[in-house]
Amino acid sequence: MDYLSIIFEQTYKILFLLVPVLVSVAMIVWLDRRVWAFVQKRQGPNVVGPFGLLQSLADALKYIFKEMIIPSSSNKVIFILAPIVTMTLALIAWAVIPFGATQVLADINVGILYLFAVSSLGVYGIIMGGWASNSKYPFLGAIRSAAQMVSYEVSIGVIIINVLLCVGSLNLNDIVIAQKNLWFVIPLFPMFVIFFISALAETNRPPFDLPEAEAELVAGYQTEYSGMMYAMFWLGEYANILLMCAMGAVLFLGGWLSPLEIYPFTLIPGAIWLILKILFLFFLFALVKAIVPRYRYDQLMRLGWKIFLPFSLVWVVLTASFLFYFNLLPVN
Amino acid sequence: MIAHSIFFYAFSLIAIISAIMVTASKNTVHSVFFLILDFISISCLFIMIGAEFLGMIMLIVYVGAVAVLFLFVVMMLNVAQQKNQWFAAKDSSKHIPIGLIISTLIFVEIIIVIGGWKYKPEIFDINNSLTQFSVSNTHSLGKILYTDYIHVFQISGMILLVAMIGAIVLTFRQRAGVKRQSYIKQISRERVEGVEVLEVETNKGVRIDD
C-alpha cells in the first residue's frame, strides 16, 4: 500500500508539472508568432479565440487529424522513435527546475549536471529522425544539427562552470539561493550574453536555424515528417526552448527569487517570478528571431569554437582567480 | 528495498541485452543505438549505487559526445548497407578465439580486482578516504581528486591535451587555392578601392577585369 500511495503522489506531482508545461508550450508558440509579426508590422495569428490565443490549439487539432505518412524506404522503428525521444527528453528535464524553495519535483544534488546531460541527449532525436528518413535533406540537416549542438554544448558547459565556481554546489536550489544578494547576471554579464547566444544555437533557433534552413534544406530533419509526429518534434523543440530559458533564469536571473526583497514583491510567489523571467528570456528569443539574419555555417562554427570557447575559458580563469584572491570561494 | 532491486534488475537486464545486441544486430547504426542504450542503463546503475556524479558524467561524455561521434562515423562511412552477419558469415568464426581470449583476460582482471577488494579492503586507500567525508559523492570526489591525486589528475589532463593537439596537427593541412573570408579586409574596405568612376564613351563600353 505504501508503494501505491507513493506512486500515486508522484504521478499527481508529475502531471501537475507536465500539463502546465505543455499548455505553456502551446501558448509560447502563439507568443513567438505574435512577437515575430509585430516586429515586421504584421498582425500575426489573431483570429482563433481572444487575441488568437487558441491558434496553437487549432494547429494541434489539425495535426492530430492529418495522416501520418511513413516513407516506405525509411527505417520505420527509428523513424517513429525520433519524435518520441525529442519530446520525452524535452519534458523530463523539467523535473529538476525549482519553482520555489520546496516546489521542485526532484531536488537532486547534481541537478545542473542532469540538465546539461539531458540537453546534450537532445541531439539524438534529430540524428535519428534525419538518418531514419533515408533522404538527402533530412540527413544533411541532421549532420549540421549534430555538429552545431555538440559545439555549442562545450561553451555552455564552460559557462556553467563559471556559475558553479561562485556557488560551490551542483544543486539548482543552492544556485538560486546563492544569488540572494546579487544575481549572477551582474558579475557574469558577458557569460550571460554568451549563454543566451549558445542557447539559441543549442535549440536551433534563428539566427542559427541552419538544420532546418528552409531556403537550403526544405525543412531539415523534419522534411519527411507529417501529422502528429511533426507536431511532436515541434512541441519538443519549443519545450526545449522554454527549458533553456528556465536554465538561463535559474543560472543568471535568480530563479524564483524576487528582484527586491521588499514588501509588495515578496507577496508574489516564487513560481510567478520564475515564469516572468522565463517569459522575458523567451521574449528576447522571439525578438532575435525577427531581427537577425541567418548565419552562414562556417561563421557559426567559427563563433562557437574560436570566439565563445576561448572567451569563456579565459573567464573561468578570471572568475577563479578573483574568487581566490578576495577569498570569496564558497567552502562547505 | 523491493522497488530498488526491481529497478536494479531491470536496468542490468537492459544493459546486458543491449550489450549483446551491439554485436548481434545486423545494421551497424542499430548497433550504435544499442551501445547508447547500454551507456544509459549503465549510468542509471551508477546513479542507483549512489555514484550520481559518475552517472551524469557518463551521460554527458559518453552518450552526449563520444557516441555522437560514433554515429557520425558509422553513418558517413555508409556501413549501414553492409549487413553485419555475425552469426551467418563463415569468416567471422576466425575471430572467435581472439574474442574469447580477450574476454577471458578481462574477466580474470575483474575477478582479481574485486577479489582483492573483498579480501583486503584496507589496501585500497581510495575506499578509506571516501568514507572520511560525510558529504555528497561529488564533494568527496573533488576533495580527493584535487588534493591527494592532483598530479595524476593533471598528467591525465596533459595527455588528453597532447592527444587533442596531435589529432589536429595530423589532420590539419593548408590547402592552396581556397578562398577564405577575411573579416578585417571586408570591414576596412573603403569606397575608393571598391568603386571607380569612369567617363564612358558612347558605343565603346568598359572592359572589366583588365
Side-chain angles (χ1 to χ4, degrees):
Chain A
M1 277 321 283
D2 264 4
Y3 283 128
L4 272 185
S5 65
I6 290 173
I7 288 171
F8 279 128
E9 200 193 327
Q10 292 299 326
T11 320
Y12 170 73
K13 276 187 187 169
I14 291 170
L15 281 181
F16 204 71
L17 178 67
L18 277 193
V19 173
V21 166
L22 283 174
V23 171
S24 55
V25 164
M27 290 297 109
I28 224 90
V29 176
W30 169 82
L31 182 70
D32 189 27
R33 292 172 66 183
R34 273 297 254 204
V35 172
W36 194 13
F38 279 139
V39 173
Q40 297 171 344
K41 286 202 168 183
R42 293 185 285 117
Q43 281 299 309
N46 64 349
V47 178
V48 190
F51 308 106
L53 264 171
L54 300 178
Q55 179 67 45
S56 306
L57 207 68
D59 286 348
L61 269 179
K62 187 188 80 175
Y63 284 125
I64 290 169
F65 287 117
K66 273 193 167 185
E67 187 190 355
M68 281 197 288
I69 299 164
I70 299 175
S72 58
S73 66
S74 67
N75 194 320
K76 289 177 189 61
V77 178
I78 297 182
F79 188 80
I80 296 170
L81 218 57
I84 300 174
V85 166
T86 308
M87 177 98 176
T88 316
L89 286 173
L91 292 181
I92 60 168
W94 284 92
V96 292
I97 299 285
F99 285 91
T102 52
Q103 291 150 320
V104 50
L105 195 62
D107 197 10
I108 57 177
N109 49 13
V110 285
I112 189 72
L113 279 182
Y114 174 81
L115 263 188
F116 190 57
V118 170
S119 77
S120 72
L121 291 189
V123 68
Y124 282 110
I126 291 169
I127 302 186
M128 285 162 89
W131 179 77
S133 302
N134 200 3
S135 161
K136 290 180 198 68
Y137 294 124
F139 189 58
L140 285 174
I143 285 183
R144 276 189 182 188
S145 161
Q148 176 178 334
M149 288 172 86
V150 170
S151 334
Y152 277 85
E153 242 161 51
V154 180
S155 62
I156 288 190
V158 177
I159 292 165
I160 289 176
I161 291 175
N162 263 306
V163 173
L164 293 183
L165 273 174
C166 307
V167 180
S169 166
L170 297 171
N171 184 308
L172 285 174
N173 247 331
D174 289 350
I175 293 176
V176 172
I177 290 166
Q179 304 178 55
K180 197 129 202 163
N181 299 322
L182 186 65
W183 291 1
F184 287 145
V185 67
I186 299 164
L188 298 174
F189 185 71
M191 288 300 105
F192 176 67
V193 174
I194 292 184
F195 177 83
F196 182 75
I197 300 173
S198 302
L200 287 174
E202 179 81 5
T203 51
N204 297 330
R205 285 282 291 184
F208 305 111
D209 60 339
L210 288 148
E212 46 199 294
E214 65 273 0
E216 306 154 28
L217 291 179
V218 191
Y221 59 92
Q222 321 172 327
T223 307
E224 305 287 346
Y225 282 89
S226 56
M228 202 52 212
M229 288 194 292
Y230 176 76
M232 280 179 83
F233 259 132
W234 181 74
L235 277 175
E237 206 169 287
Y238 274 90
N240 251 331
I241 293 166
L242 268 189
L243 181 78
M244 274 307 192
C245 294
M247 209 164 144
V250 168
L251 287 179
F252 292 102
L253 298 179
W256 43 263
L257 293 172
S258 63
L260 293 168
E261 293 291 330
I262 49 173
Y263 170 65
F265 289 117
T266 45
L267 280 180
I268 302 169
I272 304 283
W273 282 120
L274 183 68
I275 290 168
L276 282 178
K277 285 164 189 170
I278 293 174
L279 278 179
F280 169 71
L281 281 176
F282 186 80
F283 180 69
L284 292 185
F285 266 60
L287 273 187
V288 169
K289 178 180 182 173
I291 58 182
V292 185
R294 185 176 291 136
Y295 258 55
R296 220 173 48 208
Y297 195 67
D298 61 317
Q299 289 172 333
L300 170 89
M301 283 297 160
R302 180 176 168 275
L303 188 71
W305 287 107
K306 290 191 178 170
I307 300 177
F308 283 178
L309 183 61
F311 188 74
S312 41
L313 270 176
V314 168
W315 205 269
V316 167
V317 176
L318 276 181
T319 313
S321 2
F322 181 84
L323 290 175
F324 186 74
Y325 188 73
F326 290 101
N327 215 3
L328 290 168
L329 274 173
V331 183
N332 25 7
Chain B
M1 252 359 246
I2 301 169
H4 193 271
S5 39
I6 288 173
F7 276 111
F8 172 77
Y9 284 114
F11 285 132
S12 34
L13 205 67
I14 294 172
I16 291 169
I17 290 175
S18 54
I20 292 170
M21 288 306 286
V22 172
T23 53
S25 67
K26 287 189 172 157
N27 193 323
T28 332
V29 176
H30 289 180
S31 295
V32 180
F33 282 128
F34 277 116
L35 186 69
I36 293 161
L37 183 61
D38 201 19
F39 282 150
I40 292 176
S41 36
I42 295 285
S43 84
C44 290
L45 286 177
F46 267 133
I47 294 166
M48 283 193 71
I49 59 168
E52 71 271 1
F53 184 76
L54 265 185
M56 289 300 161
I57 290 296
M58 179 107 181
L59 271 187
I60 294 169
V61 174
Y62 283 94
V63 185
V66 174
V68 173
L69 291 182
F70 271 29
L71 258 188
F72 253 113
V73 172
V74 167
M75 284 173 178
M76 299 297 267
L77 291 178
N78 209 9
V79 275
Q81 267 73 42
Q82 295 174 10
K83 301 294 180 195
N84 176 10
Q85 284 162 338
W86 162 243
F87 293 115
K90 288 193 177 64
D91 300 342
S92 63
S93 58
K94 278 192 294 199
H95 306 304
I96 289 179
I98 304 171
L100 276 180
I101 290 170
I102 292 175
S103 44
T104 326
L105 269 177
I106 295 175
F107 183 66
V108 170
E109 278 173 4
I110 291 175
I111 289 285
I112 289 171
V113 168
I114 293 179
W117 182 34
K118 283 283 170 202
Y119 180 61
K120 273 203 163 143
E122 65 272 9
I123 49 173
F124 289 84
D125 64 336
I126 302 175
N127 209 24
N128 291 339
S129 41
L130 262 180
T131 49
Q132 282 170 12
F133 310 108
S134 56
V135 287
S136 79
N137 188 276
T138 319
H139 277 128
S140 44
L141 207 62
K143 275 179 181 161
I144 287 175
L145 263 189
Y146 289 100
T147 51
D148 299 348
Y149 295 91
I150 181 70
H151 294 116
V152 184
F153 184 67
Q154 287 202 325
I155 288 169
S156 59
M158 286 311 287
I159 290 172
L160 282 177
L161 184 69
V162 169
M164 193 176 80
I165 294 173
I168 293 172
V169 168
L170 283 177
T171 52
F172 183 75
R173 56 203 156 109
Q174 198 91 44
R175 274 172 298 182
V178 179
K179 279 189 180 168
R180 287 192 187 280
Q181 188 179 17
S182 162
Y183 296 90
I184 313 267
K185 233 177 175 179
Q186 276 186 343
I187 296 166
S188 57
R189 234 162 90 102
E190 296 284 324
R191 186 176 177 277
V192 192
E193 311 158 36
V195 186
E196 194 181 354
V197 183
L198 291 174
E199 287 281 337
V200 185
E201 284 180 52
T202 325
N203 288 334
K204 282 277 171 64
V206 189
R207 289 191 65 178
I208 309 172
D209 292 336
D210 259 340

